[in-house]
Amino acid sequence: MEFGFSEGQKKLMAEMREFCMNEIPEDYDPEYSGRFQEAETLEFWKQFHQKGVEKGWPTAGWPKKYGGMGLSAIEQAAIASEMSYWGARWGGIMAMSLVAPTILAAGTDEQREKWVPPIARGEITAFEAFTEPDAGSDEANVQLRAVPDGDEYVLNGQKTFISGGVKPDWLYTLCKTADVTPKHRGLSIFMVPGDAPGVSYRPLPTMGGSQQNEIFYDNVGVPKENLVGELNRGFYLAMTTFEFERAAGGGLGARRSMEKIMEYARQEKLNDKPLYKDPKARDMLARMAVHQHLGFLFGWYTAWHRSQREKLGPQHYNSGTLWARLWQEFDGEHMRRVFGMYTQLKQKSKYAKYHGRPGRTWEYMHAHHAAGSPEIRRVVIADRGLGLPRIPRQFNVQINEALRQG
Ligand SMILES: Cc1cc2nc3c(=O)[nH]c(=O)nc-3n(C[C@H](O)[C@H](O)[C@H](O)COP(=O)(O)OP(=O)(O)OC[C@H]3O[C@@H](n4cnc5c(N)ncnc54)[C@H](O)[C@@H]3O)c2cc1C
C-alpha cells in the first residue's frame, strides 16, 4: 500500500505552511504557549482565524452552503496537520471542531443556518458543557435540569472541568429533561448564551497546566428554539460530538516536537559527550520517534475514515486520540528516566532542562481525561469498534452486591 497526497493536497499544505510561517511570531513556542488559554493568546488566534477565513481554510471540509470549501475531511486534516506543526489553531476551535459538525450532522436546517456560518467565520465561540461532578465517564447521569416554562426552558445545575479559556458566546449544554429508565433517553442539548442571566463561571486550574471552568446555572431561561436536535435525544448528539472530538486527524505537531528534542540532544552535554550518545537517551529518542510515527499513521487513518463517513458511518475506534494520550504517558516516563530530578523543575527555573518540557510532559500525562479517559476510549473500541460483548448482567449484579456489602 502506498500512502501519499494528491498534487492539489500538496499545494494546499504548502500554502498553509507559508501562511503559518508568515503569521506566527518566530519566538512563539507551541509546546508551552499553545496549551495556555489567556485572553491575549485567544485574541491572537481569533485574528489568525479571521485571516484564514479569507482563504476558506478553517472550514475547508464543510459544505459551501455553510461557509466551507466543499473539500473532504482529508483536505481539512491536511490543513490541521500543517497547523499542528507550527502549533497554530483557529480562534473558535471548540465551536468549529465539535459544535458545528454535530449541528451539520444532526441539527435542523434552521439550526444550521443560525449557528454554522458564524462559527465558520470565527465570529462566535462555544464551550462543550457536558461534564458534571457526578457525570463524567457516566455521561448519562447528567443532573443539570431543564424544565419547560412557557416559551423557555429553565436550567439549574452545575458543569465542571469545561475547556475553552474565557467566557464563550455559547454554552453547548447537556441537560436532563426527563426522569426515565434508561436515563440516557432523558437528556437534551441546548445552546445557552454564555452571558445569560444566572450563568456564572469559576476558574479551575489543572495539573496539566490548563485552565478549566466550573459553570453554574441558576434559573437560566433559554428559548425553546435553542434546543439542538430532538428533545430527549441529547445523549446521542453528545456521542456524535465525541466522535468528532476523538477523531482528530493529521498529527504533524509531534514531528516538530521530535525535531526539537533531537536538536537539543545534539547540543546538550552529559559527561562531556552529546546527550544523544547516552544509551538511556538514545533509547528514549528512538521510542519517541516510533510513538510519533504511530501517531502520524493513526491520525491519517482517522482522517481517511472521516472522509468516508457517508459510506462507512461514524468512526467507532478513537484509536488515534487514545494513542496520543498513551504516548504522552510513555514519553513522560522516559523523560523522567533521562532527566531525573530535573523533571520537577518548571520552565521558568534557570536550572530547568530542555525548556522545562520534561516537567510539562510529566504534568500533562496526569491530565488526560479530556474528551473521555483512556479507559472509556478502550471500552468504546471494545464495544462499538470490535463488537465485543458487554459484561454479562449477572456479573454486574454480583459486583454491585459486593460493593454494597463494602
Ligand atoms: C483538561 C481537561 C479538559 C476537559 N474539557 C472538558 C470540556 O471541555 N467539556 C466537558 O464537558 N468536559 C471536559 N472535561 C471533563 C472530562 O470529559 C472528564 O474528566 C472525563 O469524562 C472523566 O470524567 P470524571 O473526571 O468525572 O472521572 P470519572 O468518570 O469519575 O472516572 C474516574 C476514573 O474511573 C475510570 N472509569 C470510570 N468508569 C469506568 C468504566 N466503566 N470502566 C473503566 N474505568 C472507568 C475513569 O477512566 C477514570 O480514570 C475535561 C477534563 C480535563 C482533565
Side-chain angles (χ1 to χ4, degrees), residues 105 240 243-244 305-315:
T240 306
E243 181 208 331
F244 293 127
H305 203 294
R306 193 160 164 184
S307 74
Q308 306 294 313
R309 193 175 194 271
E310 296 292 316
K311 237 179 356 195
L312 302 176
Q315 156 75 282

Side-chain angles (χ1 to χ4, degrees), residues 65-66 103 107-115:
K65 187 175 170 196
Y66 297 109
I103 294 177
T108 61
D109 281 347
E110 292 74 32
Q111 289 169 346
R112 291 185 187 132
E113 294 291 344
K114 178 171 177 179
W115 282 301

Side-chain angles (χ1 to χ4, degrees), residues 48 139 175 203 293 328 330 384:
F48 181 82
E139 197 77 276
C175 305
H293 193 64
Q328 291 269 355
F330 300 145
R384 298 187 61 203

Side-chain angles (χ1 to χ4, degrees), residues 35 207 261 264 268 275 280 284 288 328-366:
R35 292 221 319 274
M207 275 178 73
I261 196 162
Y264 176 81
E268 176 76 3
L275 179 65
K280 253 196 304 184
M284 173 188 81
M288 286 172 90
Q328 291 269 355
E329 268 186 44
F330 300 145
D331 286 0
E333 187 56 40
H334 282 287
M335 281 197 200
R336 192 184 60 78
R337 277 188 213 150
V338 171
F339 292 100
M341 298 298 266
Y342 288 101
T343 310
Q344 297 185 55
L345 300 181
K346 302 271 179 203
Q347 182 182 36
K348 285 182 186 141
S349 162
K350 65 176 177 177
Y351 302 107
K353 296 281 180 194
Y354 189 33
H355 320 297
R357 184 173 153 200
R360 286 200 306 284
T361 309
W362 179 253
E363 283 173 352
Y364 190 58
M365 66 187 257
H366 292 93

Side-chain angles (χ1 to χ4, degrees), residues 3 19 30 94 101 172 213 284 296 356:
F3 298 106
F19 179 72
M94 303 269 286
Y172 178 69
N213 290 283
M284 173 188 81
F296 178 81

